[in-house]
Amino acid sequence: MESRILKQRGRHNTSSADTLQITTDYDAGEPNTDSKYDTYALSARGEGTSSKTYGAYPVGPTAQRDNGTMGNSYETITDFSAVSLSEGILGIMRSKDLVTVIVLTLLSMMTRLYRIGRSNRISWDESHFTYFGGKYLNHTFYHDVHPPLAKMLVALAQTLAGFNGSYDLKSNRNYPEFMNYTLMRVQISMYGIALVPLAYLTCLQLRMTRPMATLAASFVLFDNAICVMSRFILLDEQLLFFTALTLLSAAAFQNANKYVEPFSNRWWAWLAMTGFSLGCVISSKWIGLFCVILVGVVTVEDLFRKFCDRIPTEDYVMHWLTRINGLIVLPLFIYILCFWIHFRILYRTGSGEHKMSSNFQARLLGSKLNSQPYDITYGAFVDLRSMYNGPGLLHSHYHVYPSTSGQQQVTCFPHRDTNNVWQLHKARGVEANYTMDKIEFVGHGDIVQLMHNKTGAVLRSSKQFLAPLTTSHFEVAAENITDSSDSGISDWRVEVVKQGHSKRSDKRLHAMTTVFRLRHVSMGCLLRVGSRRLPKWGWGQSEVTCLPDATHKKDVKSSDVLWYIEHNTNTRMLKSDLSKYVSGDFFVDMIQLNIEMAKTNNGLSPDRDKYNALESDPWSWPFLIYPMRMVGWGDKAIKYYEIGNPILWWASAIACLVYPLRLVYWLARQRRQCNDWRSGELLEFWDNSKLLWGGWALHYFPFFLMGRVTYIHHYLPALYFALLQLAFDLDFFFRHWRRGRYLHLAALCIGILVCLVFLYFSPFTYGWDRPAKELAGRKWLSTWN
């Protein structure tokens, strides 16, 4: 029986040159009682150690390949006690990898910052994200498809560069002279610069040798697509940075979970770091959800193993609770916090406010909704909004129903429009002068008519005509009532359902705060709007019907029959500040904003006319079929081309596609009891590679299910995992080929090759200001434009 007992000896008094030895004890009797956890034994040896082991891997000069198994010979990897999150900067300074990290960071800075301010042209999506960043600086509300964190980081860069958000930037124009766009780009590029050392540290956590970990970092360093996207004011750099930080943290926590005492300071530190990274990545772009799924799947597998190991119940429950707090509650808290900051900063009215509820809009400084009469009177011009989410405002226009009554259509329209305005009149037959007579307020039980302000038609319903789509309801139309012989079809009774601010006994209608029904007086039906959309003849707007209620007593409170007055105009009434009457709920606002973000995101449908120039399908990404032009392509323009390093893209795609086949092959041979692996080696291989291949698969395959427009830069998070998977496979191969004799040489030669290809395609990475045809010889595929 294998007993794997956790012990750490001399952890705090070993030098940076100390190595880590992990041994596996076999005991045919009772398990060792030194620890209740079934984990690996851990100890540290000094510099004089001649033979070192890690798990079931023998490493070092004395390791031998015997019995045809996958033994290996390579130097041991980093001492994890030297690079510990809990020890902070001092721990890193004591690490033997410090020099490598510094060199890689400097090289990354050279490739990312070289001539970064050369083009003063607003390139690709810089116009969008500098615009959104500027909104934070002038506190103006906006709407976008992405969560706010990455854009707030853009705003931070703009603030440090001295920009005040007073200038709206448009694509394919030059930055104004007063704007230090170079400093903005430099700050955003720092997230791309950090990818290279993060890749190196991650590969060490994944038990790769230092030469191959350095090679993996060079893959990220010398990929042209990652490099060029790091040189502009975009969101991809922040997304990639937090994705890489999540991978590093998850790998480090996986090691801490295996080889460090559970619930120790270091264990907690890496768990918290993983949760923090997950919160940041999903708060930058929703594609970060794939990182959450990846870590979630790995966590469930780990908890299942602990269940099978039969650890004490109280400890197993504690493992569940800590994962829930660290990997669910903490990321969710960060996500919510980002939106809280977002709402706190953006307190002025802006172009995106129409996506939010009227209550939210009324709380924005400068919104027309918070400056209007509070009390509603006869003669007021009102906009009626449905409480049902989506359809919008009661609307009419000159277009008529093609069948049924043939009268003027009445619909719901989601946007503000002059055709949404109705005037409140008294019941038919009651004469009134709304500019001269005494002011009368509208309240519960009053009978009103709604006259369309633009056409003069009156809202009506009749049993003679059924609704065009919902045929169990009656049609609602607008008609010039003077031409009608039926005098009872246009009267509606106001039924107050809820008062949002005033006392419950108050029966008056108030702007924004009073929710009410409109019941047809003669038929008893209720004015209703649902989710059904009219066909082309109705311009795709929402169908409005009259819901039958023969008893006239039905207390219907479903949102589809509830209305409120969003805005009213009345020259005889003083305007009030409605922000003091409306109340807000942060969580309601956040949920609504996320729903609207999803709707907008789904509405980004592909434009087939631009295909092969800008947009591309996911199937084409791994093999770099359709690179993308990021700017105009004039002969004298500085041209940037989002093309990756072809060698890296093609090789990493093959590695990721072949990986499942290799795994199935080895599992089949293990099932047949073929002696390919030492004890525990296959499990160790799976633990270290599943994060890489799983990250690639989760960040790639879901795009095939998306209906939205896709671009090649959507593949970059998956590419990061793929590049590290390629290096992991190379490390595995050269460790076992010729007992690792050519591992250093292979890493050096492959690194030089990748660097040369990077330089070969660098003109479009750093900007080409001569005719593109001069580089026609570098067109390796006919699809490259």
Side-chain angles (χ1 to χ4, degrees):
M1 172 179 173
E2 182 180 358
S3 174
R4 296 169 292 178
I5 312 301
L6 177 68
K7 296 178 183 178
Q8 275 192 275
R9 305 184 183 93
R11 183 172 66 181
H12 299 292
N13 56 8
T14 55
S15 67
S16 62
D18 289 347
T19 56
L20 203 64
Q21 180 185 5
I22 299 173
T23 60
T24 304
D25 301 324
Y26 292 87
D27 186 0
E30 293 295 320
N32 191 310
T33 58
D34 290 349
S35 173
K36 56 190 172 185
Y37 295 101
D38 186 21
T39 51
Y40 284 108
L42 184 73
S43 63
R45 283 189 181 179
E47 296 179 2
T49 303
S50 60
S51 177
K52 304 177 277 284
T53 63
Y54 173 75
Y57 290 106
V59 292
T62 62
Q64 299 294 325
R65 179 183 178 94
D66 57 338
N67 298 329
T69 60
M70 291 186 180
N72 45 66
S73 174
Y74 60 95
E75 66 168 327
T76 188
I77 58 171
T78 185
D79 177 357
F80 289 98
S81 66
V83 190
S84 168
L85 181 66
S86 61
E87 296 178 5
I89 299 298
L90 293 178
I92 297 176
M93 295 299 292
R94 290 195 296 268
S95 169
K96 64 183 71 175
D97 299 299
L98 175 63
V99 174
T100 305
V101 170
I102 292 175
V103 171
L104 288 172
T105 303
L106 292 176
L107 289 173
S108 186
M109 293 178 67
M110 291 172 57
T111 56
R112 271 59 175 171
L113 299 181
Y114 175 66
R115 306 180 79 179
I116 194 171
R118 181 187 181 194
S119 174
N120 64 347
R121 201 76 169 165
I122 301 171
S123 306
W124 184 228
D125 277 346
E126 279 191 320
S127 60
H128 296 299
F129 301 125
T130 52
Y131 170 81
F132 294 141
K135 294 303 180 185
Y136 289 102
L137 304 185
N138 54 38
H139 308 288
T140 303
F141 189 80
Y142 71 89
H143 174 73
D144 184 41
V145 299
H146 303 302
L149 177 58
K151 290 169 291 187
M152 289 194 287
L153 294 175
V154 170
L156 175 63
Q158 291 176 318
T159 301
L160 296 177
F163 180 55
N164 60 7
S166 60
Y167 188 86
D168 287 342
L169 305 171
K170 296 183 178 180
S171 187
N172 292 324
R173 294 187 181 180
N174 293 339
Y175 281 103
E177 293 183 0
F178 64 83
M179 186 179 294
N180 192 347
Y181 64 90
T182 300
L183 182 55
M184 293 183 201
R185 288 176 176 171
V186 168
Q187 293 179 73
I188 299 300
S189 71
M190 292 300 168
Y191 301 100
I193 289 170
L195 290 177
V196 177
L198 284 177
Y200 175 77
L201 294 174
T202 300
C203 290
L204 293 184
Q205 294 289 350
L206 295 174
R207 305 315 202 201
M208 291 169 57
T209 58
R210 284 193 175 86
M212 286 301 174
T214 306
L215 181 65
S218 72
F219 288 170
V220 180
L221 175 68
F222 293 127
D223 180 70
N224 300 76
I226 294 178
C227 182
V228 74
M229 293 299 285
S230 299
R231 295 168 54 81
F232 295 98
I233 306 170
L234 305 172
L235 306 187
D236 300 272
E237 301 94 319
Q238 299 93 309
L239 174 68
L240 286 170
F241 170 76
F242 290 123
T243 299
L245 188 62
T246 299
L247 178 60
L248 169 62
S249 303
F253 177 68
Q254 179 175 261
N255 286 328
N257 193 41
K258 288 181 180 179
Y259 312 121
V260 176
E261 184 70 37
F263 316 121
S264 63
N265 290 339
R266 187 178 306 174
W267 188 94
W268 274 110
W270 281 119
L271 174 64
M273 192 64 184
T274 305
F276 172 79
S277 304
L278 288 174
C280 290
V281 72
I282 197 173
S283 299
S284 298
K285 280 189 174 183
W286 275 349
I287 194 176
L289 180 62
F290 301 141
C291 281
V292 175
I293 297 174
L294 173 66
V295 173
V297 171
V298 171
T299 300
V300 169
E301 182 199 19
D302 172 58
L303 292 171
F304 179 74
R305 289 186 190 177
K306 285 179 167 52
F307 175 78
C308 295
D309 288 342
R310 298 183 179 182
I311 68 173
T313 302
E314 62 273 18
D315 294 312
Y316 186 64
V317 172
M318 187 64 179
H319 276 287
W320 269 98
L321 294 177
T322 54
R323 300 320 197 275
I324 291 172
N325 286 322
L327 303 179
I328 298 178
V329 176
L330 179 58
L332 185 60
F333 171 77
I334 293 172
Y335 187 77
I336 293 173
L337 178 63
C338 288
F339 277 94
W340 184 83
I341 297 172
H342 176 78
F343 287 139
R344 295 286 291 181
I345 296 176
L346 306 180
Y347 57 79
R348 296 182 185 273
T349 183
S351 59
E353 66 175 33
H354 69 278
K355 296 286 187 179
M356 301 298 291
S357 68
S358 301
N359 274 9
F360 179 86
Q361 296 176 47
R363 300 196 307 272
L364 293 175
L365 185 63
S367 172
K368 78 169 190 174
L369 297 188
N370 63 23
S371 179
Q372 58 174 309
Y374 181 56
D375 294 310
I376 306 300
T377 69
Y378 287 103
F381 295 91
V382 299
D383 296 347
L384 273 71
R385 181 176 288 276
S386 172
M387 291 290 291
Y388 189 74
N389 184 41
L393 296 151
L394 190 66
H395 178 91
S396 187
H397 40 233
Y398 286 106
H399 304 281
V400 299
Y401 291 107
S403 57
T404 61
S405 69
Q407 297 295 332
Q408 191 171 301
Q409 298 171 13
V410 173
T411 63
C412 263
F413 186 59
H415 307 293
R416 295 196 178 108
D417 187 85
T418 55
N419 281 323
N420 300 337
V421 182
W422 304 79
Q423 187 177 27
L424 285 173
H425 285 217
K426 291 186 176 182
R428 178 167 174 78
V430 180
E431 298 295 332
N433 187 328
Y434 302 115
T435 60
M436 300 295 293
D437 293 349
K438 180 183 176 181
I439 294 176
E440 293 186 54
F441 299 102
V442 181
H444 177 73
D446 289 348
I447 298 175
V448 300
Q449 290 186 103
L450 291 169
M451 178 177 286
H452 192 243
N453 185 50
K454 199 165 185 179
T455 64
V458 178
L459 188 74
R460 67 101 175 122
S461 185
S462 172
K463 290 184 178 180
Q464 298 179 14
F465 306 105
L466 299 179
L469 301 182
T470 311
T471 55
S472 60
H473 297 182
F474 301 120
E475 177 197 81
V476 174
E479 181 181 358
N480 189 333
I481 205 67
T482 58
D483 298 334
S484 175
S485 59
D486 189 348
S487 60
I489 64 175
S490 60
D491 289 342
W492 301 84
R493 179 177 287 107
V494 176
E495 297 179 353
V496 174
V497 175
K498 179 183 178 182
Q499 292 285 13
H501 181 267
S502 56
K503 296 179 180 178
R504 186 172 298 178
S505 59
D506 182 10
K507 297 301 182 180
R508 286 185 184 177
L509 285 190
H510 301 292
M512 299 291 299
T513 61
T514 304
V515 178
F516 58 91
R517 294 184 294 258
L518 287 174
R519 186 184 296 273
H520 197 274
V521 173
S522 63
M523 297 191 300
C525 58
L526 297 171
L527 187 68
R528 174 193 178 273
V529 61
S531 58
R532 303 188 72 172
R533 297 296 184 93
L534 296 172
K536 271 189 176 181
W537 54 259
W539 303 94
Q541 296 171 12
S542 299
E543 179 192 36
V544 174
T545 65
C546 205
L547 174 67
D549 177 19
T551 64
H552 293 212
K553 296 181 180 179
K554 188 178 290 183
D555 187 21
V556 182
K557 293 185 179 179
S558 59
S559 60
D560 57 346
V561 297
L562 300 181
W563 305 82
Y564 65 95
I565 295 175
E566 180 180 87
H567 184 262
N568 79 102
T569 304
N570 192 337
T571 56
R572 303 182 69 187
M573 297 290 292
L574 294 176
K575 293 182 178 180
S576 300
D577 180 7
L578 261 66
S579 61
K580 63 185 180 182
Y581 295 111
V582 297
S583 59
D585 187 315
F586 163 71
F587 288 100
V588 171
D589 293 337
M590 186 191 75
I591 292 171
Q592 183 185 12
L593 180 55
N594 278 262
I595 291 172
E596 294 299 328
M597 288 161 52
K599 289 180 180 178
T600 305
N601 189 63
N602 292 334
L604 298 175
S605 56
D607 184 352
R608 298 294 171 177
D609 293 335
K610 293 182 179 179
Y611 252 65
N612 302 350
L614 291 179
E615 303 166 7
S616 55
D617 282 329
W619 66 266
S620 67
W621 297 341
F623 293 99
L624 204 59
I625 305 299
Y626 297 117
M628 186 184 73
R629 297 178 181 182
M630 299 182 66
V631 292
W633 221 242
D635 285 348
K636 295 183 179 179
I638 300 177
K639 294 170 282 296
Y640 294 93
Y641 197 42
E642 189 184 356
I643 184 172
N645 188 317
I647 301 298
L648 289 177
W649 283 55
W650 297 339
S652 63
I654 293 173
C656 289
L657 293 173
V658 170
Y659 173 84
L661 303 178
R662 295 167 54 205
L663 197 61
V664 169
Y665 170 77
W666 283 327
L667 289 173
R669 286 184 58 81
Q670 186 184 54
R671 183 70 176 173
R672 298 182 64 187
Q673 299 183 350
C674 297
N675 193 23
D676 293 330
W677 301 83
R678 295 176 186 271
S679 175
E681 279 186 332
L682 183 58
L683 181 61
E684 187 73 17
F685 173 85
W686 163 249
D687 282 343
N688 293 329
S689 61
K690 65 186 177 186
L691 287 169
L692 301 179
W693 188 86
W696 173 81
L698 284 170
H699 284 79
Y700 176 53
F701 290 117
F703 280 99
F704 287 92
L705 306 177
M706 297 182 187
R708 62 152 292 166
V709 61
T710 52
Y711 303 95
I712 193 172
H713 67 262
H714 289 146
Y715 184 66
L716 294 185
L719 176 68
Y720 181 81
F721 289 95
L723 294 178
L724 269 58
Q725 177 71 52
L726 174 62
F728 183 89
D729 289 344
L730 290 172
D731 179 67
F732 180 84
F733 174 78
F734 284 106
R735 283 205 324 255
H736 300 103
W737 185 61
R738 300 281 184 175
R739 297 168 57 186
R741 186 176 304 166
Y742 300 105
L743 188 144
H744 289 75
L745 179 62
L748 178 63
C749 293
I750 296 172
I752 292 174
L753 173 63
V754 168
C755 179
L756 292 176
V757 176
F758 171 81
L759 295 174
Y760 184 71
F761 288 97
S762 64
F764 281 137
T765 303
Y766 297 112
W768 182 254
D769 58 359
R770 298 169 63 180
K773 62 184 180 182
E774 295 184 12
L775 298 176
R778 307 185 192 200
K779 185 177 180 180
W780 288 6
L781 297 179
S782 60
T783 53
W784 293 1
N785 58 353

